[in-house]
């Protein structure tokens, strides 16, 4: 039964990623020049989904990690420094960035994962700030100090000047980045599904529910939380490397911004914690809401966006997935009640 469930989950994920892979061609066919901005929105949504999925993996062990900005920034700087010093390509820089983030997570996790609740959160938040200060203090020739450093553009479409419209060049560049982001999302989904369908899920749930009981059951709480912490850091470190290439620059204040951590935390809560679908669904919805508010309320869209988030979390404490499950239960109850009433009427007529 478990293998059948795993197969169905992977099949659904493959279909979903395949449909997304066809999105650039569909957008270009339907919207032409405007497809450039729609594809940029798709890149943001996919990147946010990766960020949210990676944070949710840590949350499944009951830990409130605020270190995502640190791992994201470490991955971005690892890729930038590697490219600057050796000219290493993206396919080498991204895995290395994930490895750098994993090493940092091992060290940080070993030192802090015995802390609980707010103490762990404060320790991880402080780590991000310390790492930002360290990067600023490194030699200018390596990291660019407090100013940061630039990266060459990753995708340079081959074209002869004047033979292609400017929007077509932008479209080809965005399509390249979209596919790279999509590859990382596919990896994040695969990891999330494998965790959900393996013994790790029970270990994560046991640690989140009651560490003492989990220990009695043979689960090592510290090791279990460290596993989740490292897996999560690898994914977000790789995302930082890809985004460093896409934005073409890294600087300490933006790359280690607490805004990254807030997005990583809020998105899975909005979608539904401890699931694969919830963070992805929330990333798609929130990206659309943000873009709509930005176009209609150019000056105060962030305030409106924040209000939408707060109200949504207040009225949907289990996120979008919890809302859908509640609606499904009501529908089943309504159908059951109608069936019972029909049987009663049938018996009376007979």
């Amino acid at each position: 039964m478990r293998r059948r469930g795993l197969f169905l989950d992977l099949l659904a994920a493959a279909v979903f990623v395949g449909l997304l892979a066809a999105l650039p061609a569909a957008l270009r066919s339907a919207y032409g020049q405007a497809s450039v901005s729609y594809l940029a929105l798709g890149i943001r949504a996919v990147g946010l989904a990766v960020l949210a999925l990676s944070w949710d993996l840590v949350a499944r062990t009951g830990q409130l990690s605020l270190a995502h900005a640190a791992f994201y920034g470490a991955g971005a700087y690892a890729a930038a420094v590697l490219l600057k010093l050796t000219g290493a390509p993206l396919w080498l820089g991204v895995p290395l960035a994930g490895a750098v983030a994993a090493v940092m997570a091992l060290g940080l996790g070993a030192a802090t994962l015995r802390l609980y609740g707010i103490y762990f959160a404060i320790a991880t938040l402080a780590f991000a700030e310390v790492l930002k200060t360290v990067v600023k203090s490194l030699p200018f020739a390596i990291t660019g100090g407090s100013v940061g450093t630039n990266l060459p553009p990753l995708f340079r479409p081959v074209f002869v000047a004047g033979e292609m419209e400017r929007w077509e060049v932008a479209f080809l560049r965005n399509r390249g980045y979209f596919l790279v982001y999509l590859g990382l999302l596919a990896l994040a989904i695969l990891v999330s599904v494998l965790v959900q369908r393996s013994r790790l899920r029970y270990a994560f749930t046991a640690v989140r529910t009651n560490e003492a009981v989990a220990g009695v059951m043979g689960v090592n709480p510290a090791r279990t939380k460290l596993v989740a912490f490292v897996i999560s850091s690898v994914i977000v470190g790789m995302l930082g490397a890809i985004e460093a290439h896409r934005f073409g620059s890294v600087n300490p204040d933006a790359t280690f911004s607490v805004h990254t951590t807030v997005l990583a935390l809020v998105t899975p809560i909005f979608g539904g914690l401890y699931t694969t679908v919830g963070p992805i669904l929330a990333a798609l919805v929130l990206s659309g809401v943000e873009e709509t508010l930005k176009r209609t309320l150019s000056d105060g869209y962030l305030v409106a966006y924040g209000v939408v988030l707060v109200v949504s979390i207040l009225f949907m404490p289990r996120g979008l997935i919890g809302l859908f499950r509640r609606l499904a239960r009501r529908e089943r109850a309504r159908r059951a009640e109608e069936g019972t009433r029909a049987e009663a009427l049938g018996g009376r007529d007979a």
Side-chain angles (χ1 to χ4, degrees):
M1 180 64 75
R2 184 185 297 173
R3 288 185 178 179
R4 184 170 179 271
L6 175 62
F7 173 75
L8 292 176
D9 283 352
L10 293 179
L11 180 63
V15 171
F16 175 70
V17 173
L19 290 174
L20 285 183
L23 186 64
L27 287 174
R28 181 170 184 163
S29 174
Y31 298 102
Q33 188 169 343
S35 62
V36 176
S37 59
Y38 287 121
L39 199 50
L41 176 61
I43 292 172
R44 289 204 299 275
V46 172
L48 183 57
V50 172
L51 187 68
L53 266 178
S54 67
W55 189 87
D56 188 74
L57 285 169
V58 181
R60 292 176 194 181
T61 62
Q63 292 297 314
L64 180 63
S65 171
L66 299 181
H68 259 50
F71 301 138
Y72 175 91
Y77 265 92
V81 171
L82 184 70
L83 180 65
K84 191 173 181 179
L85 297 182
T86 67
L90 180 74
W91 64 265
L92 182 59
V94 171
L96 180 72
V100 169
V103 171
M104 287 190 173
L106 270 174
L108 178 64
T112 62
L113 279 171
R114 294 185 187 279
L115 300 174
Y116 295 93
I118 190 65
Y119 301 103
F120 175 76
I122 292 173
T124 51
L125 180 64
F127 177 74
E129 292 300 311
V130 169
L131 198 56
K132 179 168 71 175
T133 305
V134 169
V135 168
K136 284 183 177 180
S137 306
L138 289 174
F140 184 85
I142 298 177
T143 63
S146 59
V147 178
T149 186
N150 294 324
L151 286 77
L154 184 61
F155 293 105
R156 297 176 177 173
V158 178
F159 70 99
V160 179
E163 290 186 1
M164 293 181 71
E165 297 286 346
R166 184 176 297 177
W167 74 268
E168 287 182 294
V169 176
F171 175 84
L172 292 175
R173 183 175 291 120
N174 279 357
R175 186 186 65 178
Y177 281 117
F178 181 78
L179 295 178
V180 171
Y181 274 70
L182 198 56
L184 185 58
L185 177 62
L187 175 64
I189 292 175
L190 177 63
V191 171
S192 178
V193 169
L194 290 178
V195 168
Q196 285 291 88
R197 292 290 178 179
S198 70
R199 294 181 179 178
L200 275 178
R201 174 189 179 184
Y202 302 109
F204 285 7
T205 304
V207 170
R208 183 177 75 242
T209 306
N210 190 317
E211 287 193 19
V213 175
V216 173
M217 295 167 61
V219 177
N220 186 323
R223 188 184 303 164
T224 303
K225 288 188 286 187
L226 190 59
V227 167
F229 203 51
V230 171
I231 293 175
S232 171
S233 70
V234 171
I235 295 172
V236 75
M238 294 169 77
L239 176 65
I242 293 173
E243 299 221 315
H245 280 281
R246 178 181 167 230
F247 296 139
S249 66
V250 289
N251 73 77
D253 291 326
T255 308
F256 292 94
S257 171
V258 71
H259 181 66
T260 302
T261 298
V262 173
L263 283 178
L265 187 152
V266 167
T267 307
I269 292 175
F270 178 80
L273 287 170
Y274 322 136
T275 65
T276 302
V277 176
I280 297 174
L281 183 62
L284 299 177
V285 172
L286 289 179
S287 298
V289 170
E290 182 183 13
E291 185 65 21
T292 303
L293 291 174
K294 193 182 293 183
R295 293 186 181 189
T296 53
L297 300 171
S298 56
D299 293 330
Y301 83 93
L302 279 177
V303 176
Y305 184 69
V307 170
V308 169
L309 278 178
V310 171
V311 172
S312 301
I313 291 174
L314 282 176
F315 286 94
M316 297 187 302
R318 296 184 184 278
L320 293 172
I321 295 299
L323 174 65
F324 293 150
R325 286 173 177 166
R326 195 165 67 225
L327 293 176
R329 281 197 298 271
R330 285 184 182 176
E331 179 62 18
R332 285 196 298 270
R334 186 186 65 79
R335 289 183 179 179
E337 185 179 349
E338 288 181 354
T340 305
R341 192 179 304 159
E343 287 180 4
L345 289 174
R348 191 172 60 189
D349 293 341

